[in-house]
């Protein structure tokens, strides 16, 4: 009777007695709600990671899988804790401690990045170690107390539940605000501009086009593939054999080509939308850090829409880097098992300490790139990637770092370059060349497979989105002069019908690639001046013309 009295008035439970019912003194419904609060903390890390680190660059759909996995993980921890401890609130406290211990590193990384990007304050690595140790010790204390002396910590349950609920609602509101702004304001403006470009292209169709058939068209992007001069000057590598083999297959190589932009998103958006993106600074804001304005430019481009109007099937062979990992507008979309957001989120959790998992994630990048190469090789099959004619877009994140391939295609320990004063370290220089050699060989194999499978000789554009250089320089408004001589030099090669080969001039830039090709189909697309523009990672739309610094001419 004494035990019943203590429990009914909510004061405490007798030492050693188990509480199997609702939280003392609480209504059953409220107690059940309090007991589920660890689920808020299970999904908070991925929501905060997305809002802070990815919402400005990663489409919302890429959040779905990590969010579901985190929720299931939280449910599993909660159920196991409930089995171990019969008391509902004690088990919830234990689950809270385990979940937050698992994501402690995630929170610290977000905090450090926030301090660096917002306040421009870099925090020492040893501070992260001390903070992590303090968090783990605190959570261990809460967990042990929940098991051994629950009466001491049960009063904080309503506070933890309220905090979790508040933070969850806050993150959802931030997510909805950003997505709502994009869907209601930004996306319609981008689509209106795309429609204007399409209308201009279709306004005066020629009655006597140079290309009268419907050959398959391939746009293959090799990320960070430098041009021949940089490969020789910076890396001491002569790729003349590769260029000769392309020429033997009928390619014309634009040997003096330069990228229009130093950033992947802007470079590919420019070429696929037939534009120097002069509308983006006003649309997005010159000071904006939000790359999501380019999502539609990449996933639902002007080029893909024009070709769709001509009866082309859009085939998208994605990289692991959103938003080129997939396209919801493609007839066929080959996408990775894990995109870069998911990989980096997993690496930021306590699982990142597991060497085997770290290697698995590195292998995931390798598997994705090999799968993309296989999909590219098979894309010319008559019953393969969608009905003909096809427009195949393939973005391969190689030879871009991390360096994970030897020249023979075998795997190697992932290596990131250590650049000092804008110079490549010797290990990274060798690793980059190894990856270039691997990509050269595999791309030639893919081209041979495509040519063998195609009934009609296809059109192929093989292009680097930008060249090499130190990433820290791209954070600077006024980078070293060497960046302009290295970053913009790219591979740019074309397989086109013989009658239009003379139209491929040596300095053609990516913005004119499809203007030239589509004009041969009869579209009114005069070539634009081949200009080079610069902007930083942090201010991508603060764009300025640097053609003179890149090419040495106005």
């Amino acid at each position: 009777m004494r035990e019943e009295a203590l429990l009914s008035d909510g004061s405490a439970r007798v030492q050693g007695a188990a509480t199997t019912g609702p939280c003392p003194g609480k209504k059953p419904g409220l107690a059940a709600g309090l007991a589920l609060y660890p689920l808020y903390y299970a999904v908070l890390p991925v929501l905060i990671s997305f809002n802070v680190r990815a919402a400005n660059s990663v489409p919302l759909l890429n959040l779905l899988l990590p969010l579901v996995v985190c929720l299931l993980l939280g449910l599993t921890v909660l159920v196991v804790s409930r089995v171990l401890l019969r008391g509902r609130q004690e088990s919830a406290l234990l689950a809270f401690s385990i979940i937050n211990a698992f994501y402690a590193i995630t929170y610290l990384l977000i905090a450090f990045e926030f301090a660096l990007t917002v306040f421009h304050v870099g925090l020492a690595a040893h501070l992260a170690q001390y903070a992590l140790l303090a968090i783990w010790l605190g959570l261990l204390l809460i967990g042990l107390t929940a098991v051994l002396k629950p009466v001491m910590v049960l009063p904080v349950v309503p506070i933890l539940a309220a905090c979790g609920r508040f933070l969850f609602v806050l993150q959802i509101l931030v997510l909805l605000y950003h997505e709502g702004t994009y869907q209601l304001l930004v996306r319609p403006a981008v689509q209106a501009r795309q429609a204007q470009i399409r209308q201009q292209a279709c306004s005066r169709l020629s009655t006597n086009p140079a290309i009268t058939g419907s050959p398959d068209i391939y746009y293959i992007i090799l990320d960070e593939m430098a041009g021949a001069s940089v490969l020789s000057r910076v890396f001491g590598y002569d790729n003349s054999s590769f260029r000769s083999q392309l020429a033997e297959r009928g390619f014309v190589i634009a040997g003096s080509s330069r990228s229009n932009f130093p950033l992947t998103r802007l470079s590919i958006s420019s070429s696929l939308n037939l534009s120097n993106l002069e509308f983006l600074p006003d649309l997005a804001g010159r000071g904006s850090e939000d790359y999501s304005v380019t999502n539609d430019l990449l996933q639902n481009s002007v080029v893909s829409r024009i070709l769709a109007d001509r009866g082309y099937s859009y085939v998208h062979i994605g990289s692991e880097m959103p938003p080129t990992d997939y396209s919801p507008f493609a007839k066929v979309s080959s996408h990775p098992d894990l995109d870069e957001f998911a990989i980096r989120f997993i690496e930021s959790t306590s699982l990142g300490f597991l060497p085997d998992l770290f290697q698995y994630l590195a292998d995931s990048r390798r598997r994705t790139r090999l799968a993309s190469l296989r999909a590219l090789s098979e894309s010319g099959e008559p019953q393969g990637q969608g009905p003909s004619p096809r427009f195949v877009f393939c973005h391969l994140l190689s030879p871009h770092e991390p360096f994970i391939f030897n020249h023979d295609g075998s795997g190697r320990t992932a290596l990131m370059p250590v650049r000092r004063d804008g110079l490549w370290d010797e290990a990274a220089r060798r690793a980059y060349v190894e990856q270039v050699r691997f990509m050269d060989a595999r791309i030639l194999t893919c081209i041979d497979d495509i040519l063998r499978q195609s009934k009609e000789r296809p059109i192929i554009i093989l292009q680097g989105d930008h060249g090499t250089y130190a990433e820290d320089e791209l954070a600077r408004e006024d980078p070293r002069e060497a960046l302009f001589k290295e970053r913009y030099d790219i591979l740019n090669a074309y397989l086109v019908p013989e009658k239009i080969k003379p139209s491929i001039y040596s300095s053609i830039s990516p913005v004119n690639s499809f203007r030239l090709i589509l004009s041969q189909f009869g579209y009114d697309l005069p070539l634009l001046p081949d200009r080079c523009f610069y902007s930083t990672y942090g201010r991508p739309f603060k764009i300025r013309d640097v053609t003179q610094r890149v090419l040495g001419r106005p």
Side-chain angles (χ1 to χ4, degrees):
M1 294 295 295
R2 175 170 172 74
E3 179 186 45
E4 291 179 1
L6 286 168
L7 290 176
S8 62
D9 67 14
S11 58
R13 75 176 191 180
V14 173
Q15 181 70 25
T19 302
T20 58
C23 184
K26 303 290 184 183
K27 296 179 181 180
L30 178 59
L34 291 178
L36 294 176
Y37 70 88
L39 297 182
Y40 290 129
Y41 292 95
V43 298
L44 272 174
V46 72
L47 288 174
I48 295 174
S49 291
F50 187 84
N51 284 335
V52 173
R53 308 168 78 186
N56 285 352
S57 59
V58 178
L60 183 61
L61 190 60
N62 292 72
L63 173 63
L64 182 59
L65 179 60
L67 187 64
V68 170
V69 171
C70 288
L71 181 60
L72 292 176
L73 179 63
L75 278 170
T76 302
V77 172
L78 191 57
V79 169
V80 171
S81 299
R82 187 74 173 98
V83 171
L84 295 175
L85 298 177
R86 295 181 64 194
R88 179 179 293 158
Q89 302 306 331
E90 295 93 318
S91 62
L93 272 171
L94 180 61
F96 165 84
S97 301
I98 294 171
I99 289 169
N100 283 284
F102 181 76
Y103 291 120
I105 306 172
T106 308
Y107 287 124
L108 284 175
L109 287 174
I110 293 171
F112 273 54
E113 288 182 14
F114 186 79
L116 183 62
T117 57
V118 176
F119 299 108
H120 305 290
V121 176
L123 303 179
H126 69 273
L127 291 179
Q129 296 173 345
Y130 294 147
L132 181 61
L133 181 61
I135 292 171
W136 276 348
L137 287 175
L139 292 170
L140 177 63
L141 180 62
I142 292 174
L144 288 175
T145 306
V147 174
L148 302 175
K149 296 282 187 181
V151 69
M152 296 179 61
V153 289
L154 286 181
V156 305
V157 166
I159 299 174
L160 294 177
C163 287
R165 189 182 306 112
F166 170 77
L167 292 173
F168 174 77
V169 171
L170 178 63
Q171 294 306 313
I172 293 297
L173 290 175
V174 170
L175 196 66
L176 291 176
Y177 174 78
H178 180 272
E179 188 64 17
T181 301
Y182 172 69
Q183 294 291 345
L184 298 176
L185 299 178
V186 177
R187 192 179 187 192
V190 171
Q191 291 175 335
R193 181 59 181 173
Q194 288 179 305
Q196 182 181 354
I197 297 172
R198 286 174 62 203
Q199 185 178 14
Q200 291 172 349
C202 301
S203 60
R204 292 197 302 260
L205 284 173
S206 171
T207 57
N208 187 29
I211 301 176
T212 55
S214 297
D216 288 347
I217 300 175
Y218 291 80
Y219 188 35
I220 305 170
I221 296 292
L222 305 182
D223 207 298
E224 204 174 77
M225 178 62 86
S229 62
V230 165
L231 286 174
S232 175
R233 175 171 53 85
V234 177
F235 297 94
Y237 176 62
D238 179 7
N239 78 332
S240 58
S241 174
F242 173 64
R243 287 180 283 130
S244 296
Q245 292 183 71
L246 285 177
E248 290 172 5
R249 290 160 172 80
F251 278 80
V252 177
I253 300 175
S256 301
S257 181
R258 297 295 183 268
S259 175
N260 301 105
F261 292 90
L263 306 178
T264 295
R265 278 177 173 257
L266 299 186
S267 177
I268 304 178
S269 293
S270 172
S271 57
L272 283 175
N273 291 275
L274 314 172
S275 163
N276 279 323
L277 307 179
E278 63 281 348
F279 57 91
L280 280 187
D282 290 336
L283 195 156
R286 288 178 59 83
S288 173
E289 302 176 10
D290 193 344
Y291 285 85
S292 62
V293 68
T294 63
N295 288 352
D296 262 67
L297 295 174
L298 291 166
Q299 293 186 331
N300 193 24
S301 66
V302 169
V303 169
S304 67
R305 297 287 296 278
I306 288 177
L307 291 174
D309 292 341
R310 292 186 63 88
Y312 276 74
S313 297
Y314 179 22
V315 178
H316 187 103
I317 301 175
S319 69
E320 64 267 29
M321 183 64 73
T324 63
D325 56 331
Y326 76 100
S327 173
F329 304 97
K331 189 82 74 174
V332 177
S333 188
S334 173
H335 55 82
D337 295 330
L338 291 174
D339 62 59
E340 196 65 24
F341 169 69
I343 291 174
R344 291 181 181 180
F345 177 71
I346 295 170
E347 289 175 340
S348 76
T349 70
S350 295
L351 292 175
F353 284 114
L354 301 177
D356 289 345
L357 180 72
F358 189 83
Q359 187 59 46
Y360 173 82
L361 294 175
D363 290 342
S364 173
R365 293 185 175 97
R366 189 179 299 116
R367 287 191 300 272
T368 294
R369 296 173 197 191
L370 290 174
S372 294
L373 287 165
R374 284 194 299 272
L376 183 60
S377 281
E378 297 167 359
S379 59
E381 294 180 357
Q383 303 302 321
Q385 307 275 345
S388 290
R390 306 181 184 103
F391 169 53
V392 180
F393 170 78
C394 179
H395 181 201
L396 294 161
L397 277 179
S398 282
H400 196 288
E401 63 263 22
F403 305 124
I404 53 180
F405 291 107
N406 294 310
H407 73 274
D408 59 0
S410 59
R412 55 156 298 152
T413 302
L415 175 69
M416 294 294 288
V418 178
R419 301 178 175 106
R420 295 184 178 90
D421 296 325
L423 300 176
W424 288 73
D425 63 286
E426 188 56 36
R429 184 181 288 110
R430 290 195 302 268
Y432 176 79
V433 170
E434 286 283 295
Q435 204 142 281
V436 166
R437 292 176 62 191
F438 165 68
M439 290 304 299
D440 286 352
R442 286 302 299 268
I443 283 298
L444 288 173
T445 299
C446 290
I447 290 170
D448 288 341
D449 290 338
I450 291 169
L451 294 177
R452 175 176 48 81
Q453 296 160 359
S454 301
K455 293 182 178 180
E456 182 179 355
R457 191 170 179 82
I459 291 173
I460 301 176
I461 303 173
L462 180 63
Q463 204 169 79
D465 58 334
H466 56 71
T468 60
Y469 204 65
E471 289 189 4
D472 59 345
E473 288 296 302
L474 285 166
R476 298 174 56 177
E477 290 287 343
D478 188 25
R480 291 179 176 87
E481 197 67 25
L483 177 141
F484 299 107
K485 305 305 179 187
E486 181 180 340
R487 183 75 174 184
Y488 291 82
D489 189 18
I490 58 171
L491 169 71
N492 196 1
Y494 299 81
L495 182 67
V496 294
E498 290 293 330
K499 65 174 67 176
I500 65 173
K501 280 186 177 181
S503 301
I504 307 293
Y505 55 100
S506 65
S507 61
I508 185 173
S509 62
V511 71
N512 281 320
S513 296
F514 281 102
R515 280 184 164 266
L516 188 149
I517 299 298
L518 292 176
S519 67
Q520 304 303 314
F521 283 92
Y523 291 94
D524 183 24
L525 287 167
L527 298 183
L528 299 176
D530 293 302
R531 314 295 290 179
C532 300
F533 302 90
Y534 179 78
S535 59
T536 66
Y537 285 119
R539 296 289 185 271
F541 309 115
K542 191 177 180 181
I543 298 170
R544 68 178 190 271
D545 193 324
V546 292
T547 306
Q548 187 171 6
R549 297 178 73 175
V550 173
L551 302 179
R553 63 173 173 79

